[in-house]
Amino acid sequence: MRVGTLDSFAITQAMDCSAQGGIVPEIETAEDARSAVAAARYPPLGRRSIMPCLPQLMFRPAPPVDAMKAVNAAAMVISMIEGPRALDAVEEIAAVDGLDMLLVGANDLSNTLGLPGQLDHPDVKAGFQRVTDACKANNIYFGVGGMGHHPELAKEMIAMGARYATAGADVTFMTKAAIANALKFD
C-alpha cells in the first residue's frame, strides 16, 4: 500500500490493516528510511507493536514472537526516491537494514530536477542509474513508477535491473476501459 506521507502512524496503520508492505514517499535521508522501517516492522528491525490477531496471519492467534517473525519476513518496505536530496543520499538510504526496495517516482524526479515529463533526459537517466547502482550494492530491489506512457523506457529500466515497474494505475485502467466502452455507442 502506498501511504500518503512519511508518517509513522500512517505506515503502522496501513500495516495493521493488512498491507503486506508499504511504499513510503518523502524519503530523502537514511534517517527517513530508518523511520519508515521502524514504523512498518516489528522488533528487532522496527518498533511496531503487536496486535493479538494479525490480518496477515488470517486472524489466527499465534505466539507473538512467531507472529512478528512471520510478518516481518513477508512484508516489504519500499522507499520512494523522488528528488535531488534523495539522490544525494541514495547510497546511505539503500544501506538501511530492513528496506527492501528503492522506487523511483519517475515523474516526480523529472519535475524536481526541473525537467517535467522528460523521463529520457540524460540527467533523469543518470538518477535512475544512481539508484539502480545503490540497490545492486546493497542487494535490494530497484523499482520505477510512472512508466505507463513510456513502454520503451520501462524496458530499459527492466534491463537495468528494475524488478518492479508501474504501467499505470487502477483508476487510469478503469477510466480508459469505461471511455472505450462508451465510445462504442457514439
Side-chain angles (χ1 to χ4, degrees):
M1 168 182 279
R2 185 187 190 282
V3 296
T5 185
L6 173 57
D7 175 76
S8 292
F9 177 76
I11 296 165
T12 300
Q13 186 176 44
M15 300 298 283
D16 285 349
C17 288
S18 78
Q20 288 294 102
I23 299 173
V24 185
E26 301 177 358
I27 303 291
E28 295 187 329
T29 66
E31 186 54 40
D32 291 343
R34 280 190 285 279
S35 293
V37 168
R41 296 199 184 275
Y42 294 109
L45 291 172
R47 64 174 184 273
R48 195 170 148 206
S49 86
I50 187 78
M51 294 175 24
C53 294
L54 297 164
Q56 293 93 336
L57 301 177
M58 306 297 288
F59 298 102
R60 292 185 180 112
V65 172
D66 295 341
M68 290 186 292
K69 283 181 184 175
V71 173
N72 273 350
M76 287 192 77
V77 181
I78 302 166
S79 167
M80 293 201 70
I81 303 296
E82 303 166 289
R85 189 164 176 224
L87 284 177
D88 287 345
V90 73
E91 291 81 8
E92 293 84 15
I93 293 169
V96 170
D97 194 24
L99 197 61
D100 299 292
M101 179 190 297
L102 298 184
L103 174 61
V104 177
N107 289 297
D108 291 332
L109 181 62
S110 70
N111 289 341
T112 60
L113 292 175
L115 303 162
Q118 298 178 54
L119 304 188
D120 59 351
H121 189 282
D123 290 348
V124 177
K125 284 189 169 186
F128 292 140
Q129 188 63 56
R130 189 159 178 195
V131 175
T132 194
D133 290 346
C135 289
K136 287 176 184 173
N138 289 281
N139 199 31
I140 64 173
Y141 296 113
F142 165 55
V144 62
M147 297 286 109
H149 296 290
H150 306 277
E152 293 307 313
L153 185 57
K155 291 176 188 174
E156 201 175 310
M157 295 296 105
I158 292 166
M160 285 173 57
R163 296 290 306 267
Y164 174 94
T166 60
D170 52 358
V171 172
T172 306
F173 295 139
M174 289 186 293
T175 303
K176 285 181 179 180
I179 290 168
N181 191 53
L183 291 176
K184 293 176 187 177
F185 300 101
D186 264 353

